[in-house]
């Protein structure tokens, strides 16, 4: 789908006073819909005026940097690579420029303490969520100067993490 959809999402996040929008999506290639799609995406992100974080290139080259237009407007870039424990579970923040550390620095710039070294795992019910479909319905409503037809108020003032998900049954 067009990458401008992700810009529309940032607009809705801004409407709901998001603290940050973190894309867990690698925007490493230009849009298959053309350069105008990329330009519109970047403009929507700028107009949203909310901190935007993207995955950074990894030192080992396994993860590329986002397209230059996105790197130039990002509030932060961070590594999404993980170092699993010997049993294969990811429990700790990465040292250095991990995405988690960069977000921590943005949210608490005067904190002299280091970010916590161990992650906390929560149940999926711990955080409000919404489908992209509902977010885009709200975007359309806002563009038409209508009241939102979907209640996203539970996301007000939150950090919005955007990524692709699939339930377990989708993988069977």
């Amino acid at each position: 789908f067009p990458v401008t959809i992700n810009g529309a999402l940032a607009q809705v996040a801004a409407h709901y006073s998001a603290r940050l929008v973190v894309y867990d999506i690698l925007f490493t290639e230009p849009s298959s819909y053309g350069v105008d799609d990329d330009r519109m995406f970047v403009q929507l992100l700028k107009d949203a005026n909310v901190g935007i974080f993207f995955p950074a290139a990894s030192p080992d080259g396994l993860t590329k940097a986002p397209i230059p237009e996105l790197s130039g407007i990002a509030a932060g870039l961070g590594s999404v690579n993980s170092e699993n424990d010997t049993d294969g579970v990811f429990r700790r923040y990465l040292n250095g420029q991990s995405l988690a550390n960069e977000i921590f620095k943005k949210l608490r710039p005067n904190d002299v303490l280091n970010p916590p070294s161990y992650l906390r795992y929560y149940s999926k019910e711990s955080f409000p969520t919404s489908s992209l479909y509902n977010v885009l319905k709200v975007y359309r409503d806002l563009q038409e100067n209508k009241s939102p037809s979907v209640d996203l108020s539970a996301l007000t003032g939150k950090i919005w993490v955007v990524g692709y998900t699939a339930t377990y049954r989708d993988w069977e």
Side-chain angles (χ1 to χ4, degrees):
F1 58 81
V3 294
T4 52
I5 287 174
N6 290 289
L9 185 145
Q11 293 280 310
V12 175
H15 177 79
Y16 286 96
S17 303
R19 293 177 69 190
L20 299 170
V21 178
V22 180
Y23 286 94
D24 188 14
I25 301 170
L26 301 174
F27 295 103
T28 58
E29 304 296 328
S31 172
S32 61
Y33 286 80
V35 70
D36 287 340
D37 189 41
D38 285 328
R39 286 186 187 131
M40 179 62 84
F41 177 33
V42 170
Q43 191 60 52
L44 287 168
L45 293 176
K46 286 179 180 178
D47 293 347
N49 198 29
V50 64
I52 306 288
F53 280 75
F54 294 105
S58 62
D60 58 12
L62 294 176
T63 305
K64 295 185 203 175
I67 61 173
E69 297 85 355
L70 296 178
S71 296
I73 63 165
L77 298 169
S79 171
V80 294
N81 291 343
S82 66
E83 293 176 13
N84 296 348
D85 290 340
T86 56
D87 62 358
V89 176
F90 177 54
R91 293 187 179 93
R92 287 180 274 221
Y93 290 104
L94 294 173
N95 293 326
Q97 194 183 358
S98 74
L99 198 55
N101 289 351
E102 294 304 309
I103 293 167
F104 181 87
K105 288 183 224 172
K106 180 72 172 176
L107 293 174
R108 298 174 65 180
N110 298 321
D111 198 327
V112 295
L113 300 174
N114 291 325
S117 59
Y118 283 93
L119 296 171
R120 291 186 209 153
Y121 284 96
Y122 299 91
S123 70
K124 69 179 186 174
E125 291 81 22
S126 298
F127 302 99
T129 62
S130 180
S131 70
L132 179 60
Y133 177 77
N134 285 337
V135 173
L136 293 177
K137 281 174 66 174
V138 170
Y139 178 74
R140 183 196 63 217
D141 294 338
L142 295 174
Q143 294 300 300
E144 296 174 357
N145 292 315
K146 296 179 182 176
S147 295
S149 57
V150 177
D151 182 13
L152 298 180
S153 60
L155 299 172
T156 301
K158 305 288 185 192
I159 298 171
W160 288 39
V161 179
V162 182
Y164 303 118
T165 61
T167 60
Y168 176 74
R169 69 175 181 265
D170 292 336
W171 292 94
E172 293 181 324

